[in-house]
Amino acid sequence: MRRFTPKVVTANALLEGDVIYLTADDRWSRRLEEAEVIEDEAIGQLRLLDAQRQVDRVVGAYLADVTASADGPQPVHFREDFRRKGPSNYAHGKQEGAANV
Amino acid sequence: MYKYTEFDTAFLAERNAQFRAQVERRIDGSLTEDEFKPLRLMNGLYLQLHAYMLRVAIPYGTLNSAQMRQLALLAVKWDKGYGHFTTRQNIQYNWPLLRDVPDMLDALAEVGLHAIQTSGNTIRNVTADHFAGAAADELADPRPVAELIRQWSTDHPEFQFLPRKFKIAVTGSPNDRAVTRAHDIGLRMVERDGETGYEVIVGGGLGRTPMIGQVIREFLPRGDLLPYLEAIVSVYNLLGRRDNKYKARIKITVHENGIETIRDLVETRFETLKTAFNGADQALLAQIEPQFAAPDFVAKDTAPYDRAYATDPVFRAWADTNLTAHRQADHAIVSISLKAHGATPGDATADQMRLMADLAAKYAYDELRISHEQNVILPHVARADLPAVHAALKTAGLATANIGLISDIIACPGMDYCALATARSIPIAQEIATHFDALKLEHDIGPLKIKISGCINACGHHHVGHIGILGLDRAGVENYQITLGGDGTEDAVIGERAGPGFAAEDLLPAIERLVRAYLELREGRDETFLDAYRRLGVAPFKAALYPEARDRHAA
Ligand code: HEM
Ligand code: SF4
């Protein structure tokens, strides 16, 4: 059997469109480090449903692959890396600093 | 310029009020995203990777200074101080908050701008030659008819749910600067026996199945335009494939049914519609036309221009690349480059927008244009005023002398913003521009169009770039495929894929090898990259791109 790739639940915030992650204590964080890392497929599906139910807060929730590391979950795909960081041509979005955290 | 009638103003106000209510219902949770999405798309609001994006139409690319100032105001008040001009003569704001969008739309309405039908399966913003009304080679100004098409297509009840998006471009010049052959419908004004009319091209498009449009009618008399367009769109509306999004554009409909079948269906439908239109469209056009009358050009002695050209090499370099012949010999068309080396193609800050608005008001009869090549145009400037215009542009980083050169790159937003992207495009454009600027080769290389898309949708027109670059995801790594020999003009050609793609770090050296091969191979400075490619074919350029393959064969 193939090993399950760890996942996080991610989406865009309804009001700002910003990339957000579901935490273990049911908050939405703007930082991937704070995301709940899901190690089990069934739990992943349940957490995704929890997220998708919040139609007045989030848009387009899905499960994204991550790898665990000492600094918290790291994106597997470069798209998720860009979503985590923001655009590369300006220090906008998440790169604007603490204000957005 | 077209001035809104009371009807237009009331229509827009009502539409904006509707959308405001829809946004409120989305925010309070009474609309789900599935319900809201088609409504927001109808009003130009996308959700991209990091934020919402509002796409505002600049109909046929024409703005006055008040409108440009308002675009600047939106950038400051509701975005991050800049806007992105696109290949479809739109401006995109990358960071609006959902709650603010209705206010943005109201602010746009104050100056007669909107975001209606900049998305969705509708007839999109009608684009036109950015030199319309100014170019020396022009037969007639295409903008009155573009405005007529806008009025006909906006909220057209039959065409709000087409099988897929529908894009129309118009040009009044034999030199096609509007890429008409890559549009769902392209219109080229032509003359026959002293009568003006249109060559009607149908079924062009880029995206995953790029196709050059085919001529459906060689000569359509002017007065028949709207019923004929309506006939095409209604035939497509019935015949177009709704079962498969990738086969839904009219290019596929034409391809699958054949141009003859489509032509017959359109002509039959046209016969009915022609009588139904009953000349009302022509009466409307007659009201629109005077609003596009050429300004009263003020004759001015060109001496200040001649002096600056003779004595100031920086001005001369700029004049050589960024000016185009105007139909008045003592005037010129100024292309303002939004491609400073290393900048994001098509981006302008609010300060830059305001400066361009000021220059338009002072020197250009209050007119600005946005080109599909993501630059801004001052369409009518007296040559005498060019030194002052150039000096002012310099103060705002807007005097880059690179129009049509290797750093005048079209790049789509790519994975820095776009949710559909498979790779980034902006950093690639930035790297190429900076690199060739550092080599000081740009002017020696001469006219060369590089166009970059961040995915197969081809928003960056890569298929019609002399050098096209397509960003892909190859097993989780950004990879760039090169196409060669594309051309978006009246001789439109889809570029040919050169071979395997390149990793991001190998791309720039590959482009440099390609360009150096051209410099070696060309017969002289007059032979452009595209000319050389057409003379020699793909082989020597492939050899430059893939030296390993050549060495293997030689071994
Ligand atoms: C949110 C960002 C965008 C999205 C989601 C988007 C989506 C798409 C899609 C799905 C297609 C393919 C359509 C088809 O083949 O049926 C397409 C084509 C195209 N888009 Fe975009 N696009 C975006 C931004 C842009 C921008 C910034 C420009 C202008 C720079 C642009 C101009 C075009 C053009 C010229 C084409 C190809 C012509 C054609 O329609 O065949 N798009 N876009
Ligand atoms: S080409 Fe692809 S990546 Fe670029 S803007 Fe269009 S959809 Fe986005």
Side-chain angles (χ1 to χ4, degrees):
Chain A
M1 215 182 85
R2 269 185 66 199
R3 263 203 56 189
F4 180 71
T5 310
K7 306 254 186 300
V8 295
V9 177
T10 180
N12 292 85
L14 172 66
L15 296 180
E16 307 89 44
D18 201 5
V19 173
I20 48 177
Y21 304 94
L22 187 62
T23 65
D25 56 352
D26 277 329
R27 286 176 306 113
W28 287 96
S29 167
R30 276 152 171 75
R31 303 164 58 128
L32 176 59
E33 307 89 275
E34 296 185 357
E36 172 187 14
V37 178
I38 301 159
E39 305 274 2
D40 176 278
E41 175 132 33
I43 293 175
Q45 290 307 322
L46 285 175
R47 293 299 278 155
L48 181 59
L49 285 175
D50 288 344
Q52 285 169 339
R53 254 197 304 275
Q54 303 181 36
V55 290
D56 57 342
R57 298 180 63 190
V58 309
V59 183
Y62 64 94
L63 293 164
D65 290 351
V66 290
T67 47
S69 85
D71 302 325
Q74 300 295 321
V76 169
H77 194 277
F78 61 86
R79 185 176 192 271
E80 290 304 322
D81 197 20
F82 295 137
R83 287 183 78 239
R84 160 173 82 159
K85 277 205 283 250
S88 55
N89 59 335
Y90 302 117
H92 285 161
K94 294 191 188 303
Q95 299 155 94
E96 279 169 299
N100 255 339
V101 175
Chain B
M1 259 189 81
Y2 180 72
K3 285 243 167 17
Y4 273 23
T5 60
E6 272 171 40
F7 174 84
D8 299 330
T9 310
F11 169 78
L12 196 51
E14 186 181 338
R15 177 78 178 236
N16 285 350
Q18 276 171 2
F19 189 56
R20 183 177 291 276
Q22 289 159 353
V23 169
E24 273 162 24
R25 278 182 279 144
R26 176 68 186 103
I27 290 175
D28 73 19
S30 41
L31 287 178
T32 64
E33 185 59 19
D34 286 346
E35 289 162 338
F36 180 60
K37 189 175 175 183
L39 302 173
R40 68 167 160 78
L41 289 179
M42 281 293 192
N43 291 284
L45 186 64
Y46 286 78
L47 180 59
Q48 301 209 89
L49 270 190
H50 316 290
Y52 287 95
M53 179 272 279
L54 181 66
R55 180 184 286 166
V56 178
I58 298 171
Y60 34 91
T62 297
L63 288 173
N64 61 28
S65 62
Q67 292 173 323
M68 186 63 124
R69 282 198 195 98
Q70 196 75 344
L71 295 180
L73 179 119
L74 262 79
V76 171
K77 200 162 167 186
W78 291 295
D79 206 90
K80 296 191 188 290
Y82 78 103
H84 177 73
F85 290 102
T86 79
T87 46
R88 292 217 75 259
Q89 297 178 319
N90 296 307
I91 183 171
Q92 299 189 169
Y93 292 103
N94 283 323
W95 301 96
L97 304 182
L98 179 57
R99 220 183 267 292
D100 291 339
V101 174
D103 290 340
M104 296 172 82
L105 294 176
D106 283 347
L108 289 166
E110 284 170 19
V111 292
L113 291 172
H114 62 73
I116 297 169
Q117 288 176 212
T118 57
S119 177
N121 293 332
T122 54
I123 301 178
R124 302 288 189 89
N125 184 35
V126 179
T127 54
D129 182 357
H130 43 272
F131 293 164
D137 61 357
E138 186 173 271
L139 206 63
D141 188 338
R143 290 173 304 157
V145 81
E147 175 58 33
L148 181 70
I149 295 171
R150 173 168 75 141
Q151 297 195 12
W152 159 78
S153 61
T154 301
D155 229 21
H156 191 303
E158 192 180 331
F159 302 147
Q160 293 304 295
F161 296 94
L162 294 170
R164 197 79 180 89
K165 56 168 94 166
F166 203 90
K167 301 179 180 176
I168 303 178
V170 202
T171 178
S173 290
N175 294 300
D176 184 358
R177 289 173 289 262
V179 209
T180 56
R181 288 190 171 270
H183 281 76
D184 297 281
I185 293 180
L187 298 170
R188 300 180 61 205
M189 290 183 165
V190 288
E191 210 169 42
R192 183 190 273 184
D193 309 326
E195 193 196 350
T196 55
Y198 305 91
E199 178 186 68
V200 184
I201 299 156
V202 69
L206 302 172
R208 80 176 51 220
T209 329
M211 288 191 189
I212 298 295
Q214 302 183 55
V215 176
I216 182 163
R217 185 66 111 79
E218 271 176 21
F219 186 85
L220 182 73
R222 278 175 57 105
D224 289 341
L225 184 65
L226 274 199
Y228 197 80
L229 288 185
E230 183 144 324
I232 297 177
V233 184
S234 65
V235 165
Y236 162 63
N237 202 14
L238 287 178
L239 214 58
R241 288 184 56 176
R242 290 168 195 266
D243 61 317
N244 182 339
K245 185 174 162 181
Y246 302 121
K247 300 198 167 163
R249 293 290 288 270
I250 195 174
K251 61 188 173 188
I252 306 291
T253 319
V254 172
H255 183 75
E256 287 184 345
N257 294 276
I259 185 78
E260 287 76 22
T261 309
I262 300 291
R263 184 180 292 126
D264 292 347
L265 290 167
V266 167
E267 292 290 343
T268 308
R269 177 97 182 112
F270 171 60
E271 283 313 314
T272 318
L273 287 171
K274 198 172 158 176
T275 32
F277 266 73
N278 202 15
D281 52 318
Q282 290 307 299
L284 185 56
L285 182 61
Q287 285 170 28
I288 294 172
E289 263 171 344
Q291 306 192 42
F292 289 91
D296 292 323
F297 295 116
V298 181
K300 278 196 191 175
D301 182 1
T302 63
Y305 168 81
D306 300 330
R307 216 172 313 126
Y309 193 86
T311 56
D312 178 354
V314 178
F315 177 78
R316 183 162 59 238
W318 178 78
D320 284 345
T321 48
N322 294 36
L323 300 183
T324 308
H326 194 275
R327 53 195 245 211
Q328 293 292 115
D330 63 348
H331 280 60
I333 303 172
V334 174
S335 294
I336 301 172
S337 169
L338 296 184
K339 316 285 179 70
H341 301 109
T344 302
D347 279 10
T349 64
D351 287 343
Q352 290 177 324
M353 290 184 217
R354 289 188 180 125
L355 178 85
M356 293 187 281
D358 291 347
L359 292 176
K362 192 162 175 196
Y363 299 110
Y365 308 86
D366 210 35
E367 269 197 48
L368 295 133
R369 305 287 171 71
I370 307 307
S371 77
H372 83 267
E373 297 189 312
Q374 300 179 286
N375 293 310
V376 177
I377 314 293
L378 297 175
H380 325 283
V381 182
R383 285 190 177 262
D385 294 329
L386 288 170
V389 168
H390 180 245
L393 290 172
K394 270 203 285 200
T395 64
L398 288 170
T400 313
N402 64 346
I403 297 296
L405 303 182
I406 193 168
S407 62
D408 183 9
I409 298 171
I410 291 183
C412 78
M415 205 181 273
D416 287 307
Y417 298 91
C418 180
L420 303 177
T422 41
R424 286 174 299 173
S425 21
I426 292 168
I428 302 298
Q430 291 173 311
E431 255 182 37
I432 295 174
T434 318
H435 182 70
F436 282 93
D437 185 45
L439 292 177
K440 295 289 160 226
L441 271 180
E442 165 155 70
H443 288 266
D444 189 25
I445 296 163
L448 174 53
K449 291 187 194 292
I450 297 189
K451 302 184 199 268
I452 309 175
S453 305
C455 82
I456 196 168
N457 288 325
C459 303
H461 286 185
H462 66 275
H463 296 116
V464 292
H466 303 167
I467 299 175
I469 300 174
L470 165 61
L472 295 169
D473 170 356
R474 283 276 173 270
V477 184
E478 287 170 293
N479 187 277
Y480 294 89
Q481 215 172 66
I482 293 180
T483 50
L484 294 171
D487 179 7
T489 68
E490 59 283 2
D491 312 314
V493 181
I494 302 292
E496 187 180 338
R497 223 187 101 187
F502 294 88
E505 61 276 19
D506 298 330
L507 180 63
L508 187 60
I511 299 286
E512 185 174 340
R513 287 198 301 279
L514 188 62
V515 170
R516 288 196 185 277
Y518 153 66
L519 291 173
E520 291 275 309
L521 291 162
R522 72 179 174 188
E523 287 183 326
R525 285 185 72 111
D526 288 346
E527 191 178 44
T528 64
F529 179 89
L530 188 61
D531 292 339
Y533 179 84
R534 286 184 173 163
R535 176 171 60 85
L536 294 161
V538 69
F541 298 98
K542 256 191 183 168
L545 280 175
Y546 305 102
E548 330 75 46
R550 184 189 55 199
D551 297 346
R552 252 201 324 276
H553 286 300

